[in-house]
Amino acid sequence: METTEANERPKILGGCMKTRNVQALAADHNMLMADILERYIRPEMAVDDVLVENGSEEIPVIDMSRLMDEVSWEEEASKLKFACENWGFFQLVNHGVPEKVIEELKEDIMGFHDLPLEKREEVAQLPGDLEGYGQAFIASEEQKLDWADMLYLFTQPPHFRNYKHWPSQPPSFRDSLENYSNATQKVAHCILGFMATILGIKHETISEIHESQSVRINYYPPCANGHDKMIGLSPHSDGCGLTLLLQVNPVSGLQIRRNGKWLPIMPLPGALIVNIGDALEILTNGRYKSIEHRAVINAKEERISIAALHAPGFEKTVGPLAEIVGEGTPLFKSVTMLEYAKLFFSQKQLYGKKMVELLKLNP
């Protein structure tokens, strides 16, 4: 049975203002009027010279099976070190999440979004609650909006799960998500262990504090007459420690900030896209870097993805690890993860590397 403490803790992080369902808005051509779309139009998208064409540069690819092999470990660990210090993003192949687990979840996520709006809204966010189906970081009637809907759920540890927010349709959705959650948490802990070893500290130092996992299922509808003027997900770095992103359908849209420009990411078949979050940058005292990224909109096709966000447990400390700082100087303040999460979710808009900037000792 879930404890009262576990049930209440995520709720104190706050909620989000309710706004129009974007999938329904995109489907109703009568609603796609200039005054309605105005809140989604982003003037910064007119600066198209910041985009980098596909193929000019690609994020590193890390093979997890080679990290687990004594013969190839050193070479692959060198690649992982480079990815963490110079990119903050990489594609992970041979990660060990069973293909059956992935395909079943993909099918159920697409099945959920095929449901009528009233069925999807059976798990809609409630006032003051982060979890459920809706949006995030909406604090006013005036702010610009992302062209997307999301389903946000706490998945780990198991006693944090509140199944009233988990869709009951399709009937297999909950089992599929639980299987995927368990598998990706193992992958995240494994990768965090390798990252710690590369830093010269104990394998379990970073992984053992990353007790929490939440998932954000993103749905980006197409928009033929405004896709190049909208953003699916505002530029930001993730507040968590480590994110594993799965592309649910074959439509790309993820872009990362690279040398002042936006680099489109083309997911490899079967790969997970891994990125370092602000919490891990702080824990490593800046050795590993979180990177801003965004999602753009397709003119003709929907895009769906699921991000598994791994973070320290609420009672753990987010601050430079003593083993890494050594006799050096800590660059960031230390706070509990609960204080960190409250600060993160109190931000009125998702934008930039907020947590890194807020916790810098010398901004």
Side-chain angles (χ1 to χ4, degrees):
M1 181 177 291
E2 299 178 2
T3 65
T4 301
E5 181 184 13
N7 279 335
E8 289 179 353
R9 188 167 287 166
K11 291 182 181 178
I12 66 176
L13 301 180
C16 169
M17 287 184 64
K18 186 175 176 61
T19 188
R20 295 176 187 270
N21 180 270
V22 181
Q23 183 178 352
L25 183 61
D28 188 347
H29 297 289
N30 294 325
M31 298 293 287
L32 296 179
M33 300 171 65
D35 57 333
I36 294 174
L37 291 182
E38 181 60 31
R39 288 195 69 187
Y40 299 93
I41 301 299
R42 301 293 190 95
E44 63 267 31
M45 292 300 287
V47 186
D48 60 1
D49 60 342
V50 301
L51 293 175
V52 178
E53 293 298 328
N54 290 335
S56 60
E57 199 171 14
E58 296 180 354
I59 64 172
V61 177
I62 304 299
D63 187 333
M64 194 157 119
S65 66
R66 287 174 54 81
L67 288 172
M68 302 178 77
D69 186 315
E70 290 183 2
V71 175
S72 55
W73 146 256
E74 188 173 346
E75 181 181 358
E76 204 66 18
S78 177
K79 294 179 182 178
L80 179 60
K81 180 177 184 289
F82 177 80
C84 293
E85 293 179 349
N86 296 280
W87 280 87
F89 263 82
F90 57 89
Q91 302 210 47
L92 186 67
V93 298
N94 296 322
H95 43 67
V97 179
E99 184 178 356
K100 181 174 184 289
V101 169
I102 290 175
E103 292 305 317
E104 286 177 349
L105 180 66
K106 285 182 177 181
E107 184 175 338
D108 283 335
I109 289 174
M110 290 189 287
F112 172 77
H113 289 96
D114 286 340
L115 295 172
L117 177 60
E118 58 269 21
K119 286 293 184 182
R120 282 181 272 129
E121 290 197 327
E122 288 179 358
V123 291
Q125 290 169 328
L126 300 174
D129 203 342
L130 285 171
E131 286 192 272
Y133 181 58
Q135 284 85 23
F137 297 98
I138 301 177
S140 77
E141 296 287 351
E142 289 75 36
Q143 78 182 72
K144 292 292 186 178
L145 301 176
D146 291 344
W147 187 254
D149 301 313
M150 73 160 193
L151 176 60
Y152 184 77
L153 301 168
F154 289 101
T155 47
Q156 299 286 352
H159 62 258
F160 266 19
R161 297 172 186 168
N162 189 336
Y163 287 106
K164 74 176 183 182
H165 297 299
W166 291 45
S168 59
Q169 297 293 327
S172 55
F173 185 100
R174 294 180 179 182
D175 286 341
S176 295
L177 181 56
E178 181 175 1
N179 292 336
Y180 182 78
S181 168
N182 293 337
T184 49
Q185 187 179 50
K186 290 178 182 177
V187 173
H189 284 179
C190 191
I191 290 296
L192 288 167
F194 290 133
M195 289 178 174
T197 300
I198 292 167
L199 288 166
I201 60 179
K202 291 182 180 178
H203 184 88
E204 67 276 8
T205 302
I206 299 176
S207 61
E208 68 181 3
I209 68 172
H210 279 73
E211 301 170 347
S212 299
Q213 183 199 68
S214 57
V215 299
R216 175 173 171 146
I217 299 171
N218 305 294
Y219 181 88
Y220 307 102
C223 187
N225 59 347
H227 69 98
D228 56 344
K229 305 178 185 69
M230 299 173 172
I231 293 179
L233 189 59
S234 295
H236 69 287
S237 57
D238 292 345
C240 63
L242 195 73
T243 300
L244 305 183
L245 182 77
L246 174 68
Q247 191 82 12
V248 174
N249 66 339
V251 179
S252 62
L254 174 65
Q255 298 178 346
I256 69 171
R257 193 181 290 278
R258 180 74 173 166
N259 298 325
K261 298 184 178 182
W262 290 106
L263 176 67
I265 303 303
M266 304 302 293
L268 296 172
L272 294 171
I273 297 177
V274 181
N275 67 276
I276 290 167
D278 292 347
L280 190 55
E281 177 168 343
I282 293 166
L283 286 165
T284 63
N285 204 36
R287 291 275 298 276
Y288 293 168
K289 307 293 186 183
S290 65
I291 300 296
E292 283 186 74
H293 50 284
R294 69 181 186 180
V296 296
I297 303 305
N298 190 281
K300 298 179 180 179
E301 297 181 272
E302 66 187 8
R303 175 174 177 258
I304 311 174
S305 65
I306 175 170
L309 311 161
H310 300 87
F314 283 118
E315 300 301 326
K316 304 299 182 181
T317 298
V318 179
L321 292 167
E323 301 96 316
I324 293 177
V325 176
E327 296 181 1
T329 302
L331 303 179
F332 304 96
K333 305 172 190 175
S334 293
V335 297
T336 68
M337 184 60 200
L338 184 57
E339 293 170 321
Y340 179 97
K342 286 181 180 179
L343 184 59
F344 177 78
F345 286 109
S346 70
Q347 303 304 304
K348 294 182 179 180
Q349 193 168 8
L350 189 67
Y351 207 89
K353 293 183 60 166
K354 291 263 179 138
M355 297 308 296
V356 167
E357 296 302 322
L358 288 170
L359 292 185
K360 273 184 179 177
L361 285 173
N362 296 297

